[in-house]
Structure formats: structure tokens, C-alpha cells
Amino acid sequence: MPKSNQQPNKLLAIPGPVEVTDEVLHAIAQPPLSHVSPEFVSIFQECMQMTRKVVETRDGLPFLISGSGTLGWDQVAANLVEPGENVLVLQTGYFGAGFADCIKVYGGKPKVLKAPYGSHIGLEEIEVALRTKKYKAITITHVDTSTGVLSDVKAIAATVRRTSPDTLVVVDGVCSVGSEELKMDAWRLDVVTTASQKGLGVPPGLCILVASPRAIEVFEARKTPVTTYFASWGKWMPVMRAYDNKTAAYFATPPVNLIRAYHASLSEITKLSPSLDERYRIHKQVSRRVKALADQLGLSLVPKDTAYAANGMTAIYLPDGLVASDVVPRMASKGITIAAGLGDAKGAHVS
């Protein structure tokens, strides 16, 4: 990535935040705009439209809200799950467990299917669970950053639609949107939630969620009050619909400079070369090279099956006798930032 106009810095080789383009940095460094000015309203509307293109939906409603990707969990748990309702949570690492904890906070009843560390969850196991009881939703972590495991969202969604068609399909795409193939409408997904700082190439601070018309209908038909203030779709939906129609509305001040940076990145992703499909192909190509090099060095990947290994990041076990706290500082001294793992084997691997 050309960085001719950027100050020298350590190379960010972590899953997120990632390196960003000069155009994104230039956009975030501009003087702030009024969040109700015609110029900003136009930028926000275009972000809504380009977000739909990235997740490949025609009618999904984007919610662009200040916050980390974790805010997406709160939106799902608070707006779509009512107290006492069951949610099937697929856990392929640390972040699946976090989603389950969030659901509990709002009174939902998560049933966790936990994969062995570095493994994925089989379709048969998911189908058996769906037949045992009624689930309001199923949550799928597309790529769990802690393990680098890639879930087959397309196949899982098809299994859900066949086995339990009323169950909402919710995808945590924080570590996948922009780097892994995802087709919201074609795969019949109800919610895709993500964040700005990974595959979308923007500094952290923006939670991005897209809800299908079916998810909006479920929200509007809920029988109990929403038990959140800032994350309530009742507060945010009129704002998002207003911006989508190129008019201003207010609930809380949006992060105007982050929205401008997001607009710059989305413009690169959706309007310039490479295309979105080509972008996915390049991610796969580079990922294979990185993983092949790790294999040549005698290092093992955390994902046990390369068919279920993420393309936007790589999680690697360290050799015996080394832990992450030995390696991360050494890499930093060479000008490269890598991340220690999270979860059950957090000291044993890096990404």
C-alpha cells in the first residue's frame, strides 16, 4: 500500500486496526462538518448506499453508529431478543463466547455450541440443536479473530432456513466484512454486524450493522420494551431512514469525521479497481502465501482445517518454548506490530 503522505509508523500486521490509505487519512483529518449540513447528509446517504453494496443487500437498513463492533451485539440482544427467548450461539472462539454473555445481559437464554479450539461446528450438530427447541435467533461469528476460524455462513444459513425457518440468522462479521465473501440477500441473512477497523479499512470507532426487512418486522412486533437507550433501534431507525432519504434527523451526534473516512474507504471498495469479488480473490491468494510460508517454517495454524481458515487474517501457533509475550515485543522492535492471541490458548499463538 503506498504511504507517501503518511508519517513513519510501525506496520500494523494485526487483524485490526489495519493500515489505511492516504485517502482515508485525508478524509478523517478534514475540519468537522455539521451533522445536519447538506454536505454531510449527502455523505451519510452515500455511505448507506455503499454499505448495502458491500454486504450485497438491496433492502437491508444500515445502522452507522459510534462504537466498537461490540455495540452490534448489544443491538441484536436488546432489539431482537426478548427476555426468556432462546438464542443458539455458535462459538468458534473468544468472540462467540462474548456474544453469548451479551445476550444473557438482556435476558435472553443462549444455548452455546462450542467447537473444539481451532475447529468449526458441523452442520449436523447445528441441525440437531435447531430441532430440539424453538430459537429466536442463531448467531454465527463469520471469522473469530481469536482463532482465525472461518465459518461457512452460506451453508449454515441454508441449514437454518430448511430446519427452523422462523429463526433469525445473525452474522458477526467484524473480522470478515470486506475480506470474506458475504451475500446478505442471496444467503438470506437477517443481520450482519461489523466495524470500521478491519476489512473495511477505516480507523476504529464506527459500528456498522445491516438489518433485513424481516429483522425490522421482528423488532417492530416485539411485546416487551427495549432495555437499552443508546443502542435502541427505536431511537436510531428514524435517524437512519432520514439520512437514507437525504434529510437530517437527530438522536445523538454521529462521528462526522469517521463517517467521512468510511465514505472514502467505501468509495475505493465499491467504485475503484479491484472489484469486490476480485478483492476477495486477492485476500485468498495472499492468505495462501502467508499460510504456506508458515508451513515452510514449521509453524502450525490455529485453524485445524485450512478450508475453515480465514483469508483476512492468519493465526499461528508459536514453537514450543515461546509465548506471545516473547515474540510480540521483538517484532515491535523491528517495526512490525502483531497481536497475541485471545481466549483459551492466548499465550500460545499470534496473529
Side-chain angles (χ1 to χ4, degrees):
M1 178 187 301
K3 294 175 59 176
S4 58
N5 295 321
Q6 298 186 27
Q7 295 295 317
N9 63 286
K10 289 185 175 69
L11 175 67
L12 275 176
I14 60 177
V18 299
E19 296 285 316
V20 301
T21 65
D22 288 347
E23 289 75 14
V24 169
L25 280 186
H26 178 75
I28 204 169
Q30 296 306 298
L33 294 170
S34 164
H35 56 288
V36 296
S37 66
E39 182 180 357
F40 181 75
V41 169
S42 178
I43 290 170
F44 203 111
Q45 183 201 40
E46 290 176 9
C47 284
M48 301 276 283
Q49 294 168 343
M50 290 187 286
T51 298
R52 290 188 178 99
K53 289 182 180 179
V54 170
V55 301
E56 299 194 33
T57 182
R58 188 188 70 176
D59 298 320
L61 179 65
F63 291 79
L64 312 180
I65 305 174
S66 300
S68 74
T70 308
L71 181 62
W73 297 348
D74 284 82
Q75 290 184 64
V76 170
N79 292 287
L80 294 177
V81 181
E82 298 191 55
E85 291 184 326
N86 299 306
V87 179
L88 187 61
V89 177
L90 307 187
Q91 182 184 339
T92 53
Y94 175 90
F95 291 94
F99 210 154
D101 286 343
C102 184
I103 290 164
K104 286 181 188 176
V105 167
Y106 291 97
K109 297 173 66 176
K111 164 65 176 178
V112 177
L113 294 184
K114 183 178 180 181
Y117 203 79
S119 298
H120 67 285
I121 300 167
L123 296 178
E124 289 185 5
E125 186 178 358
I126 296 168
E127 184 169 344
V128 168
L130 288 169
R131 292 189 186 281
T132 61
K133 65 175 71 171
K134 181 179 179 180
Y135 287 100
K136 182 66 169 290
I138 180 172
T139 70
I140 311 161
T141 308
H142 197 179
V143 171
D144 198 296
T145 313
S146 67
T147 59
V149 171
L150 171 69
S151 293
D152 188 344
V153 171
K154 180 181 180 181
I156 294 170
T159 299
V160 176
R161 292 301 191 193
R162 184 182 69 252
T163 309
S164 181
D166 291 336
T167 298
L168 296 172
V169 180
V170 176
V171 177
D172 178 344
V174 169
C175 198
S176 68
V177 172
S179 58
E180 307 286 353
E181 182 183 45
L182 188 143
K183 297 179 182 294
M184 187 171 181
D185 285 356
W187 298 353
R188 300 174 69 191
L189 309 177
D190 291 296
V191 175
V192 175
T193 182
T194 188
S196 54
Q197 76 274 11
K198 296 187 179 182
L200 293 170
V202 181
L206 189 63
C207 178
I208 300 141
L209 180 146
V210 185
S212 72
R214 187 170 83 142
I216 297 297
E217 289 175 4
V218 168
F219 165 73
E220 292 176 335
R222 63 179 292 132
K223 297 178 176 62
T224 58
V226 173
T227 56
T228 181
Y229 187 75
F230 184 72
S232 171
W233 285 358
K235 302 292 186 183
W236 283 113
M237 201 181 305
V239 176
M240 297 303 146
R241 284 177 168 161
Y243 278 120
D244 208 20
N245 290 316
K246 212 169 184 178
T247 58
Y250 180 75
F251 165 56
T253 305
V256 291
N257 284 51
L258 264 178
I259 293 292
R260 292 181 78 165
Y262 183 49
H263 184 276
S265 187
L266 287 176
S267 297
E268 294 173 339
I269 293 170
T270 64
K271 298 177 182 179
L272 302 179
S273 181
S275 67
L276 196 57
D277 286 340
E278 181 67 4
R279 184 183 180 92
Y280 297 146
R281 188 194 68 79
I282 293 169
H283 272 292
K284 285 184 179 180
Q285 183 182 58
V286 173
S287 177
R288 287 176 185 145
R289 289 169 58 188
V290 171
K291 290 170 173 60
L293 180 58
D295 184 62
Q296 291 172 23
L297 294 172
L299 301 174
S300 299
L301 300 179
V302 176
K304 297 181 184 298
D305 185 340
T306 54
Y308 294 92
N311 297 294
M313 62 161 290
T314 301
I316 301 173
Y317 280 116
L318 295 169
D320 291 342
L322 287 176
V323 293
S325 58
D326 298 322
V327 176
V328 172
R330 295 185 195 181
M331 293 293 287
S333 71
K334 303 292 186 182
I336 301 172
T337 301
I338 62 172
L342 295 168
D344 296 344
K346 62 182 179 181
H349 59 84
V350 295
S351 56

